[in-house]
Amino acid sequence: MERKRAFITGVTGQDGSYLAELLLAKGYEVHGLVRRTSTFNRHNIEHLLHLQGLTPTDEKRFHLHYGDMTDMHSLLSILQKVVPHEIYNLAAQSHVRVSFDIPFYTAFSDAIGVLSLLEAARIVSPNAKIYQASTSELYSGDKRETPQNENTHFRPRSPYGVAKLYGAEIARIYREGYGMYVCNGILFNHESPRRGENFVTRKVVMGAIEVKQGRREFLPLGNLDARRDWGYAPEYMEAAWKMLQQKKPDDYVIATGETHSIRELAELAFHLVGITLTWKGRGRQERGVDAATGKTIVTIDPLYFRPNEVEHLCGDARKARRVLKWRPKTTFKELIRLMVDAELEHFEHHTSHSSMVLS
Ligand code: NAP
Ligand code: GDD
């Protein structure tokens, strides 16, 4: 039987690397889109690249292609070459706060990029099944509208969210208009040791360890009261794959159904490294204090506030549970613990880093 071929955009990112791993384990031939960069940024997929070619007879099942979501010609020519059975569109400028700094670029890659990929697929690979990485940032985060499911109305609050809304809607239009197999995975926040360092879970985990080890005095954060529904990334990629194995394409919310504030996240991460965090003061003067020493170890820095905030996210993934037989396994506590453990191991092998200035 012919081996299944998948094309993954965003393969160097958190999700793309887990998805590549999953599909290779399932026997797929995997093709990933990579951007040309001056310094290599393939740390998330290096282990997969090293898995192949160990002997001259090794079959090569993981291939990388240069291109960019803002360059439709590159997408067309890759699809023409690969003719994939499945396409996973994970590439995006994925940072919400940064999307306020670079709204045009965010729109080109996260909105028009989706259109380019759909159009390229329609022209050269119309039978491919397509997964579009949609997001809980489509919702307003209004507390009165939780938990959010597939029927909750969309009202994005950032340039990122509105670009992703275009992506989600154009994906639906290609499904309904052209009969193409296109699914939106409306994924709530999902994290892992491979999470970018300027997303809050990874930042807090790294910060707590650095404070504990005396590498930094305090951790600057933004809005402590926002709430997120955090799951474990590899499990969410399993859901993405399942969406493309159904008889009919559809949209699905993927979430844990549990929500926690940034404040709770910080308390847990510090607790896991042996520090009891207590809070003093209010508003911008609020600070997190080490209960044992009285030292300030968390501060509020307006640099990390967003012009608009999605305050409250909590997903209702009952449809995915019913149709896809998918359910989350890793709890919030287990997730943060596994991130702390991975970071401690990482710190043992690498002495420098930390890039919290622009998160
Ligand atoms: P990520 O770690 O930031 O990875 C983003 C990937 O997209 C990277 O491989 C990046 O390449 C690539 N990329 C960015 N702009 C591109 C462009 N113009 N052309 C080609 N590639 C480009 O993101 P993630 O957390 O894995 O998320 C994957 C997708 O799911 C994204 O679309 C994100 O918006 C969406 N999503 C994520 C979450 C979440 O909680 N993680 C939740 C809902 C939806 P470089 O390595 O070259 O930068
Ligand atoms: N990044 C960051 N840095 N966020 C902070 C900080 C900080 O110092 N302090 C507080 N926060 C708050 C943000 O204001 C937000 O409410 C929450 O922490 C989560 O921020 P991020 O981890 O940056 O993720 P996000 O929710 O904005 O976006 C992620 O999840 C979306 C799905 O809901 C990204 O992965 C998006 O690509 C994804 O679509």
Side-chain angles (χ1 to χ4, degrees):
M1 213 172 69
E2 192 188 12
R3 216 183 249 301
K4 270 198 173 173
R5 285 180 306 279
F7 176 50
I8 305 176
T9 72
V11 75
T12 53
Q14 171 188 259
D15 289 4
S17 62
Y18 284 119
L19 181 66
E21 231 165 75
L22 178 82
L23 297 181
L24 287 168
K26 288 185 185 295
Y28 280 60
E29 182 178 305
V30 175
H31 296 258
L33 178 74
V34 289
R35 301 197 274 186
R36 194 269 153 180
T37 50
S38 303
T39 44
F40 259 34
N41 62 348
R42 299 188 187 166
H43 47 276
N44 284 337
I45 52 171
E46 247 159 33
H47 61 296
L48 298 176
L49 292 164
H50 289 156
L51 273 181
Q52 56 184 12
L54 295 178
T55 68
T57 50
D58 260 5
E59 189 189 4
K60 201 170 177 228
R61 287 200 286 123
F62 188 35
H63 307 262
L64 299 178
H65 305 261
Y66 281 110
D68 198 294
M69 294 308 291
T70 60
D71 170 7
M72 183 179 169
H73 182 263
S74 66
L75 301 175
L76 251 178
S77 68
I78 296 167
L79 289 187
Q80 207 154 29
K81 219 181 301 167
V82 174
V83 195
H85 301 91
E86 295 173 11
I87 299 173
Y88 296 86
N89 184 30
L90 308 180
Q93 188 304 91
S94 69
H95 201 285
V96 175
R97 200 202 57 72
V98 173
S99 77
F100 286 95
D101 297 338
I102 47 171
F104 283 88
Y105 176 70
T106 303
F108 289 134
S109 54
D110 299 11
I112 301 304
V114 183
L115 175 61
S116 302
L117 185 64
L118 289 165
E119 230 352 56
R122 187 181 71 79
I123 296 165
V124 298
S125 197
N127 295 323
K129 293 180 165 184
I130 302 175
Y131 172 85
Q132 168 57 21
S134 289
T135 164
S136 44
E137 280 289 311
L138 301 182
Y139 302 119
S140 70
D142 187 326
K143 211 173 170 177
R144 290 165 300 186
E145 290 176 352
T146 55
Q148 295 95 355
N149 64 26
E150 295 80 4
N151 300 317
T152 307
H153 86 286
F154 296 140
R155 193 161 186 276
R157 298 179 61 77
S158 64
Y160 168 80
V162 76
K164 281 285 186 180
L165 178 57
Y166 178 88
E169 292 291 51
I170 198 71
R172 181 183 55 76
I173 287 165
Y174 270 59
R175 173 170 77 215
E176 292 171 1
Y178 298 117
M180 289 166 66
Y181 191 113
V182 188
C183 297
N184 280 300
I186 307 173
L187 271 49
F188 283 61
N189 298 49
H190 45 280
E191 319 292 313
S192 75
R194 294 185 200 164
R195 186 55 141 154
E197 292 169 10
N198 59 356
F199 294 91
V200 77
T201 51
R202 181 92 191 276
K203 176 176 170 178
V204 167
V205 163
M206 283 172 63
I209 292 171
E210 288 175 346
V211 167
K212 176 71 181 178
Q213 297 182 342
R215 295 166 189 246
R216 66 160 50 239
E217 277 185 34
F218 64 91
L219 169 67
L221 288 175
N223 181 358
L224 296 176
D225 295 315
R227 299 185 75 85
R228 290 290 181 273
D229 177 332
W230 282 295
Y232 184 36
E235 293 167 13
Y236 284 47
M237 288 304 97
E238 179 83 30
W241 173 77
K242 282 180 171 233
M243 286 179 213
L244 298 199
Q245 314 310 313
Q246 306 304 308
K247 285 210 176 87
K248 284 188 185 159
D250 206 345
D251 300 339
Y252 299 91
V253 159
I254 300 297
T256 69
E258 239 189 76
T259 182
H260 298 276
S261 65
I262 311 305
R263 198 184 295 279
E264 290 170 56
L265 165 68
E267 286 165 11
L268 175 59
F270 276 99
H271 168 74
L272 289 171
V273 300
I275 295 176
T276 304
L277 188 61
T278 55
W279 302 98
K280 292 224 162 85
R282 299 188 68 177
R284 290 191 185 184
Q285 307 316 319
E286 184 168 5
R287 58 209 168 84
V289 172
D290 180 339
T293 62
K295 274 191 189 160
T296 295
I297 49 173
V298 175
T299 59
I300 304 298
D301 187 334
L303 178 64
Y304 305 110
F305 289 152
R306 292 144 190 220
N308 278 333
E309 177 67 281
V310 171
E311 291 288 353
H312 193 107
L313 289 176
C314 182
D316 165 7
R318 276 178 297 179
K319 178 175 170 185
R321 190 168 173 164
R322 197 180 66 247
V323 182
L324 305 178
K325 313 283 178 250
W326 178 90
R327 65 163 76 185
K329 298 187 189 94
T330 306
T331 64
F332 172 62
K333 273 193 185 157
E334 289 166 348
L335 170 66
I336 304 306
R337 183 182 289 279
L338 75 82
M339 289 179 72
V340 168
D341 289 347
E343 208 67 54
L344 284 170
E345 206 181 306
H346 181 86
F347 271 110
E348 256 177 43
H349 298 105
H350 304 82
T351 41
S352 68
H353 84 279
S354 189
S355 55
M356 286 173 193
V357 190
L358 277 174
S359 14

